[in-house]
Amino acid sequence: MKNGVILAILSSLIFSIMNVLVKSISDTVPTSEIVFFRSFIGTVLIYFFMKRSKVRFSRKGIPFLMLRGIFGALYLLAYFYTISKIPLADASILAHLSPFFAVFFSYLFLKERVSKRVILILPLVLVGIVLLTKPGAYSAYSLFALVGVASALFAGAAAVSIRFLSKAHHSFEIVFYFLATGTLITIPLMWNNFVLPSPTELAILVGIGVVSLLGQVFLTKAFTHESVVVVEIARYIGIVFNILWGFLFWAEVPSLLTVTGGILIVTSCILLSRKKQPVERAKVSFIPVWKK
């Protein structure tokens, strides 16, 4: 397998574990507070990693780093809220609509070409998604589902911004700005709704921060190895992981359609990583502020 695809799959597995932790305390801890702990703990840890690896903060490109952070923070708020309101599998399916937005944004802003091979594999992925969503039985068409779609939009925008920033910034720095921005945004949001967590809840919140940081590092590095489209398609396997956790922890027995869809998605990821696909150098359609 190619490094970028392997990293994307690992990040999906780690993020699925994070989803389980978020779901387990979402009934007692507000969404903004979960995002705050996730972001704050991650900020401290990534700052330590930067110091240890002697990664310096850039003096250029700060506005775009902060913009990536805003996209990421909005994604977390929308996604965690969706997880707290609808089944984990449904929330995961909605969040994995992000490649559709990522393809549009990467073509619009980065002028990245979609290879024929990716185009041929994409229908296989879409069939798997259709089987997983079970049209006619899916019952989350509501305001909560719309928030889930919004989370996918913000995730797609964040993916493209990572791809753009990775050409000039270390992955640790990109992750730092994402988490630091998330911390700052959630402080006023949770100010009047803060709930003092119990020892168990605090341990879970810390776990969310640590686990999600590992997933974010893997994901950011994946975007530095592969194009936005390839990484986002490989991340579809995260749906399978989330369905598995739903079965193990909430006794959600997957149907034949779910199993078939999962097999198609895993097969797609394997096919996607079989041959070497050169990464197209992005031709940016606008001039960054720091290069004017």
Side-chain angles (χ1 to χ4, degrees):
M1 285 190 180
K2 292 180 289 185
N3 289 336
V5 175
I6 293 175
L7 290 169
I9 294 174
L10 284 175
S11 72
S12 294
L13 174 60
I14 294 171
F15 280 131
S16 70
I17 296 173
M18 178 199 73
N19 292 340
V20 172
L21 297 176
V22 171
K23 183 80 172 175
S24 67
I25 62 171
S26 61
D27 289 336
T28 55
V29 180
T31 300
S32 57
E33 189 173 338
I34 297 175
V35 176
F36 169 79
F37 275 95
R38 192 259 200 213
S39 301
F40 176 73
I41 294 172
T43 301
V44 174
L45 291 176
I46 199 64
Y47 180 76
F48 171 77
F49 291 150
M50 289 180 69
K51 287 295 184 181
R52 186 174 182 180
S53 302
K54 298 180 179 180
V55 176
R56 296 182 179 181
F57 287 102
S58 303
R59 295 184 179 181
K60 300 179 180 180
I62 306 302
F64 283 96
L65 286 165
M66 294 185 66
L67 182 62
R68 182 273 179 270
I70 292 173
F71 287 146
L74 292 175
Y75 158 70
L76 284 181
L77 287 168
Y79 184 44
F80 285 5
Y81 180 78
T82 306
I83 288 177
S84 70
K85 298 298 182 181
I86 66 178
L88 183 58
D90 293 350
S92 176
I93 290 168
L94 290 171
H96 279 80
L97 291 172
S98 60
F100 293 96
F101 295 108
V103 169
F104 174 74
F105 291 140
S106 63
Y107 174 78
L108 185 63
F109 296 108
L110 302 184
K111 303 301 181 185
E112 284 193 348
R113 296 180 179 179
V114 181
S115 70
K116 293 181 179 179
R117 190 157 162 271
V118 172
I119 293 176
L120 290 174
I121 294 176
L122 185 58
L124 189 63
V125 176
L126 294 177
V127 171
I129 294 297
V130 169
L131 293 176
L132 284 171
T133 56
K134 295 180 285 294
Y138 186 58
S139 59
Y141 289 112
S142 62
L143 178 61
F144 304 138
L146 292 178
V147 176
V149 174
S151 74
L153 186 149
F154 292 130
V160 174
S161 64
I162 291 173
R163 182 66 180 161
F164 172 72
L165 290 168
S166 64
K167 298 179 182 301
H169 300 275
H170 193 281
S171 59
F172 283 174
E173 183 182 25
I174 299 174
V175 174
F176 175 86
Y177 272 91
F178 159 47
L179 296 172
T181 303
T183 302
L184 294 176
I185 289 178
T186 51
I187 288 177
L189 294 178
M190 71 170 187
W191 193 259
N192 294 323
N193 299 310
F194 183 80
V195 174
L196 185 64
S198 66
T200 300
E201 291 170 340
L202 182 59
I204 293 176
L205 288 169
V206 172
I208 291 172
V210 175
V211 170
S212 62
L213 176 62
L214 291 175
Q216 191 62 49
V217 170
F218 280 129
L219 177 59
T220 302
K221 286 185 175 295
F223 282 117
T224 65
H225 285 79
E226 275 295 349
S227 69
V228 170
V229 177
V230 173
V231 172
E232 287 293 350
I233 291 178
R235 291 183 67 206
Y236 269 124
I237 197 173
I239 296 176
V240 180
F241 294 141
N242 282 296
I243 291 175
L244 175 62
W245 299 138
F247 170 73
L248 292 177
F249 297 109
W250 288 281
E252 298 175 352
V253 181
S255 66
L256 178 61
L257 290 178
T258 298
V259 173
T260 304
I263 292 174
L264 287 175
I265 291 173
V266 172
T267 302
S268 300
C269 292
I270 295 175
L271 292 176
L272 191 64
S273 62
R274 290 282 294 184
K275 295 181 181 180
K276 181 65 179 177
Q277 177 183 342
V279 178
E280 295 279 351
R281 293 301 265 175
K283 298 179 181 179
V284 184
S285 59
F286 55 92
I287 302 175
V289 173
W290 67 89
K291 289 187 179 180
K292 288 185 178 179

